[in-house]
Amino acid sequence: MTDLSEKKLVVLASGGGSNFQSLIDSLQNDGSNIRIRALVVDRPCQATQRARQHGIDYFEVNRHNNADYNTQVLKSICQDSDLIVCAGYLSILSATLISQFPEKIINIHPSLLPKFGGAGMYGMKVHQAVIAAEEKTSGCTVHYVDKGVDTGKIIAQAKVDIDENETAESLQKKILVKEHLLLPAVVKDLLR
Ligand code: GRF
């Protein structure tokens, strides 16, 4: 029988899936009524191993497929879910898909948006740009996904200080620690 109090989450990822793991751990540890219904990846990546280890269904959507077809596939996987979390998902979601799930798709980005966001700003490139700009602080942002790239309404941010000898690599590590706390906190907050 369907548990009406249960909230269903779909996570989208393309890489290591450490944010996906932070959601698994956090939701498991507090007896939450939020269940990760499925993981979707757009390429072979380590995140699927994490899904396997935790008995979570996963799907690989080939990012080179016809875009409309992929939109239909994603739509059917995400149907009936309460929240869709982009956690390092590198494909851009289609406007059609976004309009089907208003205020239900969120993304985590490793900078203090609106700074260092937009097309081409992902992964280490973000941190390299922050270091090159000699910023004193950086951090991470969870925001709603809209039709732009990293332009949706900001939900929450966490900051880190940038040390004198900071490198893009050390900054990435520092920010990931914050991401792993911020993302589960926002998910729980939104689905409360
Ligand atoms: C994170 O830095 C996230 O902010 C960005 O992509 C990275 C994904 O890392 N969108 P992981 O795959 O969760 O380890």
Side-chain angles (χ1 to χ4, degrees):
M1 206 161 61
T2 313
D3 178 357
L4 292 178
S5 66
E6 187 181 84
K7 303 282 185 182
K8 293 183 279 303
L9 208 69
V10 174
V11 179
L12 277 52
S14 302
S18 69
N19 277 289
F20 172 50
Q21 186 71 51
S22 77
L23 286 169
I24 296 171
D25 295 341
S26 169
L27 297 176
Q28 212 165 46
N29 289 341
D30 72 353
S32 164
N33 65 335
I34 305 169
R35 184 167 68 92
I36 304 179
R37 171 70 194 81
L39 169 76
V40 179
V41 298
D42 64 352
R43 67 201 69 202
C45 63
Q46 207 201 325
T48 55
Q49 288 167 30
R50 299 179 191 271
R52 261 204 306 276
Q53 273 160 14
H54 293 274
I56 297 170
D57 291 343
Y58 64 91
F59 302 88
E60 184 180 331
V61 172
N62 180 348
R63 64 189 191 280
H64 304 298
N65 282 350
N66 174 282
D68 291 340
Y69 185 60
N70 276 354
T71 293
Q72 291 309 317
V73 172
L74 275 173
K75 194 178 143 194
S76 90
I77 295 170
C78 294
Q79 206 176 13
D80 298 331
S81 61
D82 297 285
L83 197 65
I84 299 152
V85 180
C86 299
Y89 191 64
L90 292 175
S91 294
I92 304 290
L93 299 179
S94 71
T96 313
L97 188 77
I98 293 165
S99 63
Q100 303 277 342
F101 299 96
E103 300 241 309
K104 275 195 178 175
I105 312 179
I106 63 171
N107 179 50
I108 182 151
H109 183 82
S111 77
L112 295 174
L113 290 174
K115 285 181 152 187
F116 305 100
M121 276 291 173
Y122 60 88
M124 198 53 83
K125 292 181 189 204
V126 178
H127 306 298
Q128 284 161 349
V130 170
I131 296 290
E134 300 183 3
E135 294 286 310
K136 298 282 171 269
T137 55
S138 188
C140 50
T141 304
V142 179
H143 63 94
Y144 286 109
V145 172
D146 68 6
K147 289 172 191 170
V149 180
D150 302 327
T151 53
K153 188 172 137 207
I154 291 173
I155 304 167
Q157 294 185 309
K159 281 187 190 173
V160 300
D161 289 329
I162 298 181
D163 298 329
E164 236 172 72
N165 298 321
E166 200 83 74
T167 62
E169 288 75 16
S170 66
L171 183 59
Q172 182 186 45
K173 282 193 190 130
K174 220 154 124 175
I175 292 176
L176 260 184
V177 173
K178 295 282 183 186
E179 290 185 40
H180 297 161
L181 297 173
L182 187 69
L183 186 61
V186 169
V187 165
K188 288 177 190 172
D189 213 38
L190 291 176
L191 293 179
R192 189 177 290 150

